[in-house]
Amino acid sequence: MNNFQINNSAVIVDTFDSPFALLKPVPMNTISLEGGFWQQRVHNLQSVTLNSQFLLLESTGRLNNFRRVFGESDQPYRGYVFNDSDVYKWLEAASWVMVYDNNEYLHQLVDQIITSIIKAQDKNGYINTYFSLEKSNERWTNLQEKHELYCAGHLIQAAIAHHRATGEIRLLEVAVRLADHIYSQFSRGGCAGTSGHPEIEMALVELYRATLNLKYLDLAANFVDRRGHRILGEMEYYIDHVPFRQLEYLAGHAVRALYLCSGAADLFLETGEAQLQATLQRLWTNMVGQQMYITGGLGSRHDGKAFGTPYELPNASAYAETCAAIASVMWNWRMLQINGDARYSDLLEWTYYNAVLPGISLDGNEYFYTNPLRSDGNHRRQEWFDCACCPPNISRAIAEFPGYIYSVSDEGVWLHQYSSSRANISLRSGQKVELVQSTRYPWEGHISLHLANLMLDQKTREENVAEGFSLFLRVPGWLEDRHAAIKINDETFNHHAGSGTYLEIYRNWYTGDIVTIDFPLEVRYLESHPLVEENTGRIAITRGPLVYCLEAADNPAVLLSEIAINPARQPKIEFIPDFLGGIVQLQFLAEKMRIDQKWDSTLYHPIDPPGYPAKRDEIDVVSTPYYAWANREPGEMEIWHLYSYKHHYRQEQ
């Protein structure tokens, strides 16, 4: 049995002692959300989602599978071979929620599940209800498809979260016994396999951080090193077609690939291997530049839930699995820890708003597995899925959001995400600062950051010497060439920080200091790379960190495919507090195409000569944030719209 410290520091990724991490985490138990957009989401998770998901875990037999193992039920095994992982993800989400919600009923549910897990574990540390009940003689024999290591990884992560949230070690002891069993089977000289669905790599690195036992770090590295040697087969699907360090772009099953990148980033943070870092940067750059939807969604193919070729980004048939978006958040957070590059926190924010949140309904009870960018109205959220990886995964993503707001470094405090909150932050120098962030972001670009209390360490107090530190404020990439206005105690702070960077403000700070930030929230129109063929002649609408869409529910008098947007016409911007949970709505004077009679009986026609008049009628249209679509009656939805201005410009030429 390992020795480990009782750790009440509720951090998602513990880079406190990681030698190649610039940034260190700020524990969630020192942060509280205080109103605003994200508190609304977390409150819904606490009051609705976790309870309804627990009932579904029960009614679908996932919890009963554990009871069956230790004889408290005579029901047969139910569900897919990897159903244990859904229970573990729910446990992780519930554990993080317990950091800021001392709900006795939730504690009871968590304790009930942990007791069942403890009873279901074999004496040798193995635990997997499917193999314990159905295939006990086939353990570790089908790593491609049976997901034993994947389930183990989620159990380990849930155990670490529970330990960090509560200080208890019951579940962590289960995880350590399981990890020791896996090490006995797969360490160098043992079974040569690796996981068909990566996840264990992240879990083992985090277990190393929790226990300081190097064998877990070694085993995680071993699992990554084994890829590309066709152990799992030659298919890209398993990301086993070439060694990880030789990958040029992401291929295969999107969630698996992104989880693997997250684990490799964890390895770099501990080992500093230059080749790993180069591979991760290359894959990230190619993903963002060639493989990512405008929403941040990832995975274009239903076949294999996979990445497609570069620029293969269909809209209506987009897969863009919710779990892939969550995996992207996890990867970007780990990359951010390495060097504080704002590109990663920018994409983390963009993905949360536009690729993670669409995966759950506004009432917190229904889910999207896939997230198309265009729909005829038949794509609707569901209460649950037979393969239910996404619902509990989105719960843990929402529960973890407070842990992504701040970091610290030797230089000071880094502010990554803008959300009304209160944080008590311990600096590396020994100082402590209470920061109160007030904002209506993402609807408004004004943020007030109040240093409510600055506490010096004993040495500084005794010597009566002020010690300065830096505030690093993220200037979002979506600002482009617009300027962020910064004031300190009502005095303008002149700076030259461009968008997509961190603005460093170093000074001797005092209790009561107030920093105000103003980001101009203007409507932007984006177009695709020319090789994204489906979007030729089309534009998308964004405002701040949000992607907008058109829905038939707001525009019932016209087919969405006939609407053309002219960027030269400024929309009316209106916040509606009692509509779709409170949103900023955009109202446009757009154009509706009139289909010429020449198309009545033909599919193709010679092009019209230059200067041929466009036949369009003006029409009022309404656009709403993409994350809020499909929460009303079924109907069309689209993100990419005909580009009216471009059409007229070409005629004038």
Side-chain angles (χ1 to χ4, degrees), residues 512-633:
D513 283 348
I514 297 177
V515 178
T516 58
I517 310 162
D518 280 285
F519 299 133
L521 278 180
E522 299 175 6
V523 174
R524 294 190 305 150
Y525 303 92
L526 305 182
E527 61 179 347
S528 291
H529 188 285
L531 294 181
V532 184
E533 297 176 357
E534 192 169 317
N535 295 336
T536 300
R538 293 180 175 271
I539 58 174
I541 304 165
T542 68
R543 182 176 183 267
L546 297 176
V547 174
Y548 275 69
C549 69
L550 298 184
E551 271 195 277
D554 301 305
N555 306 283
V558 63
L559 293 175
L560 300 187
S561 57
E562 297 177 353
I563 294 175
I565 302 294
N566 186 340
R569 291 174 166 170
Q570 292 302 309
K572 177 184 177 182
I573 299 170
E574 181 181 7
F575 180 75
I576 308 177
D578 54 354
F579 178 54
L580 296 176
I583 64 162
V584 163
Q585 182 185 77
L586 307 179
Q587 301 175 27
F588 293 85
L589 182 61
E591 296 172 355
K592 175 185 179 297
M593 290 193 306
R594 277 191 285 150
I595 306 300
D596 196 295
Q597 288 183 348
K598 71 185 181 183
W599 297 109
D600 286 352
S601 59
T602 184
L603 185 59
Y604 305 102
H605 193 279
I607 63 171
D608 293 316
Y612 185 84
K615 294 185 177 181
R616 304 190 178 201
D617 299 318
E618 290 189 337
I619 184 172
D620 291 316
V621 298
V622 170
S623 184
T624 54
Y626 172 70
Y627 78 78
W629 87 278
N631 282 282
R632 293 171 288 170
E633 64 271 18

Side-chain angles (χ1 to χ4, degrees), residues 312-346:
E312 181 188 340
L313 295 167
N315 293 322
S317 62
Y319 202 75
E321 184 179 340
T322 299
C323 280
I326 295 165
S328 176
V329 166
M330 295 162 70
W331 183 22
N332 277 285
W333 180 250
R334 286 158 172 80
M335 295 295 285
L336 178 64
Q337 307 315 297
I338 296 172
N339 55 17
D341 190 328
R343 294 180 303 165
Y344 304 124
S345 46
D346 270 349

Side-chain angles (χ1 to χ4, degrees), residues 14 21 104 123 126 139 141 168 215 223 232 239 252 291 320 347 366 393 396 401 466 475 518 561 571 574 583 589 638:
D14 184 0
E104 183 60 32
K123 291 182 179 180
Y126 183 89
R139 297 177 180 182
T141 59
E168 298 176 17
K215 72 180 183 182
F223 281 141
L232 302 171
I239 314 104
Q291 298 177 291
L347 183 52
E366 294 184 324
N393 213 9
R396 68 171 182 157
F401 180 81
V475 182
D518 280 285
S561 57
E574 181 181 7
I583 64 162
L589 182 61
E638 70 174 21

Side-chain angles (χ1 to χ4, degrees), residues 7-265:
N7 180 7
N8 273 341
S9 185
V11 299
I12 306 163
V13 180
D14 184 0
T15 55
F16 279 125
D17 297 313
S18 300
F20 297 94
L22 170 70
L23 302 184
K24 313 300 179 181
V26 173
M28 281 194 287
N29 53 320
T30 66
I31 301 170
S32 59
L33 298 177
E34 298 194 339
F37 185 94
W38 281 103
Q39 188 186 50
Q40 184 179 350
R41 269 77 204 159
V42 170
H43 174 74
N44 219 29
L45 175 67
Q46 295 166 293
S47 60
V48 177
T49 306
L50 285 176
N51 291 332
S52 64
Q53 287 184 358
F54 178 85
L55 294 176
L56 284 160
L57 292 173
E58 187 70 86
S59 65
T60 58
R62 285 167 169 81
L63 297 179
N64 206 58
N65 288 339
F66 288 90
R67 301 185 192 108
R68 176 70 176 84
V69 172
F70 56 85
E72 285 191 6
S73 170
D74 58 2
Q75 298 296 313
Y77 182 90
R78 288 177 62 188
Y80 287 109
V81 297
F82 47 81
N83 272 12
D84 290 3
S85 64
D86 300 331
V87 176
Y88 301 147
K89 279 182 281 188
W90 184 91
L91 265 180
E92 186 176 354
S95 295
W96 292 133
V97 165
M98 289 194 299
V99 171
Y100 41 80
D101 181 7
N102 191 22
N103 183 308
E104 183 60 32
Y105 178 65
L106 184 60
H107 277 264
Q108 291 174 4
L109 297 183
V110 168
D111 286 345
Q112 174 185 326
I113 294 177
I114 290 175
T115 298
S116 292
I117 292 171
I118 292 171
K119 291 181 178 180
Q121 186 172 36
D122 287 359
K123 291 182 179 180
N124 67 0
Y126 183 89
I127 179 170
N128 185 294
T129 64
Y130 174 79
F131 283 92
S132 294
L133 293 172
E134 301 292 322
K135 303 287 183 180
S136 60
N137 61 334
E138 296 181 13
R139 297 177 180 182
W140 311 124
T141 59
N142 187 345
L143 299 176
Q144 296 98 317
E145 300 171 351
K146 298 302 185 182
H147 290 7
E148 287 168 277
L149 289 172
Y150 170 78
C151 289
H154 277 301
L155 171 55
I156 293 168
Q157 287 194 310
I160 293 170
H162 184 258
H163 168 57
R164 290 176 179 168
T166 67
E168 298 176 17
I169 64 171
R170 287 199 307 153
L171 190 58
L172 187 59
E173 289 175 333
V174 171
V176 167
R177 286 193 292 269
L178 174 59
D180 288 345
H181 173 74
I182 293 171
Y183 185 83
S184 73
Q185 300 295 309
F186 291 93
S187 59
R188 302 181 193 277
C191 176
T194 192
S195 180
H197 194 311
E199 156 62 42
I200 188 68
E201 300 84 358
M202 280 185 285
L204 286 171
V205 175
E206 206 61 40
L207 189 61
Y208 156 71
R209 291 166 176 156
T211 65
L212 301 181
N213 192 324
L214 277 168
K215 72 180 183 182
Y216 304 135
L217 182 64
D218 179 70
L219 185 56
N222 204 5
F223 281 141
V224 173
D225 292 344
R226 289 172 179 178
R227 291 195 171 271
H229 301 289
R230 315 296 173 90
I231 297 171
L232 302 171
E234 298 183 6
M235 296 169 57
E236 288 184 348
Y237 180 82
Y238 299 113
I239 314 104
D240 194 30
H241 53 297
V242 296
F244 178 76
R245 294 166 181 81
Q246 296 176 22
L247 288 172
E248 294 295 327
Y249 57 88
L250 292 171
H253 189 286
V255 180
R256 299 176 195 226
L258 294 163
Y259 277 1
L260 178 60
C261 288
S262 299

